[in-house]
Amino acid sequence: MIWYHYFSLAALLVCIIVMLIRFIHLIKMGNPKDLSQKKGNIFQSEVYSYTIAMMPNKKESAYLHIFSFTAGVLFHIATLLSFVLFVLFFFIAPQAMLWNIRWILSLIILIGAFSGFALFIKRMLVKKMRNLSNLDDYLSNFLTTFFQMCTILYLLLGNVVAPLYYIVLGILCLYMPIGKLKHVLYFFAARYHLGFFYGWRGSWP
């Protein structure tokens, strides 16, 4: 391995350690304390919280912004795929993958990256969103979208862009635990708490 490989692995290790510490802290906090009488099924509510309740028609206002909701889903799919490929690249070089597979993966990620860029522009242009946004919102979107684009370049061009790819990935991993990107962990905790609350009170599903 070359130095930028070690840099990306070290950054990933730091990210995992910090996120693991946060996860342990969440576990230690335990379940929410609800003093009301239990009326529902918490397990069914948890399943509902992670599935049906995530649909736009079940959210407070997502159904009113279906294009933004869809763009967000595509953006997250591309991000997950990019990280899966990062792990895969340590076992198989992009050049060793079939050309058609590389193009299909690149197209999927490109759609997600375009969606992320569209959300970035919307955040800047729409006054209500701009007033609610801070530097972290822009940095998180930019770094993730840039990482996706670097993944595409690495898939298609190989070692020519390897230093850029691994450096950007390392920066993203170091930023993740301190920025809003740490919601990759807190998302699951938040959905669990919602499921527990509404399940306990018999509101969900």
Side-chain angles (χ1 to χ4, degrees), residues 158-169:
N159 290 332
V160 176
V161 295
L164 175 65
Y165 170 75
Y166 285 103
I167 290 172
V168 170
L169 172 64

Side-chain angles (χ1 to χ4, degrees), residues 12-30 177-178 182 184-186 189:
L12 179 63
L13 181 61
V14 170
C15 178
I16 291 174
I17 291 174
V18 175
M19 297 294 272
L20 183 60
I21 293 173
R22 293 183 183 276
F23 176 73
I24 293 173
H25 176 70
L26 286 173
I27 296 299
K28 286 184 176 180
M29 291 176 66
I178 62 175
K182 60 179 175 289
V184 69
L185 172 64
Y186 288 105

Side-chain angles (χ1 to χ4, degrees), residues 71-204:
V73 171
L74 295 173
F75 187 44
H76 282 77
I77 290 175
T79 303
L80 176 61
L81 178 57
S82 297
F83 273 103
V84 170
L85 285 173
F86 162 63
V87 176
L88 185 63
F89 289 154
F90 279 95
F91 300 94
I92 179 174
Q95 300 92 323
M97 302 171 65
L98 293 176
W99 180 250
N100 290 341
I101 298 297
R102 289 155 63 187
W103 267 105
I104 293 173
L105 292 173
S106 298
L107 180 60
I108 295 173
I109 297 174
L110 180 62
I111 294 173
F114 178 80
S115 299
F117 180 71
L119 293 173
F120 183 89
I121 297 300
K122 180 180 179 180
R123 187 181 292 277
M124 287 196 302
L125 297 182
V126 178
K127 185 178 180 181
K128 288 182 179 180
M129 293 190 64
R130 189 168 63 247
N131 291 339
L132 292 172
S133 302
N134 54 36
L135 181 61
D136 184 24
D137 292 308
Y138 294 104
L139 279 176
S140 297
N141 185 301
F142 174 78
L143 283 174
T144 305
T145 305
F146 192 31
F147 168 56
Q148 292 173 355
M149 294 304 300
C150 289
T151 302
I152 295 173
L153 291 175
Y154 192 40
L155 273 168
L156 299 179
L157 302 179
N159 290 332
V160 176
V161 295
L164 175 65
Y165 170 75
Y166 285 103
I167 290 172
V168 170
L169 172 64
I171 294 173
L172 179 63
C173 287
L174 291 176
Y175 185 75
M176 187 179 297
I178 62 175
K180 68 177 292 184
L181 294 175
K182 60 179 175 289
H183 75 263
V184 69
L185 172 64
Y186 288 105
F187 163 80
F188 295 99
R191 299 310 301 183
Y192 174 80
H193 278 247
L194 280 173
F196 187 95
F197 178 84
Y198 289 111
W200 182 280
R201 297 182 176 231
S203 301
W204 279 1

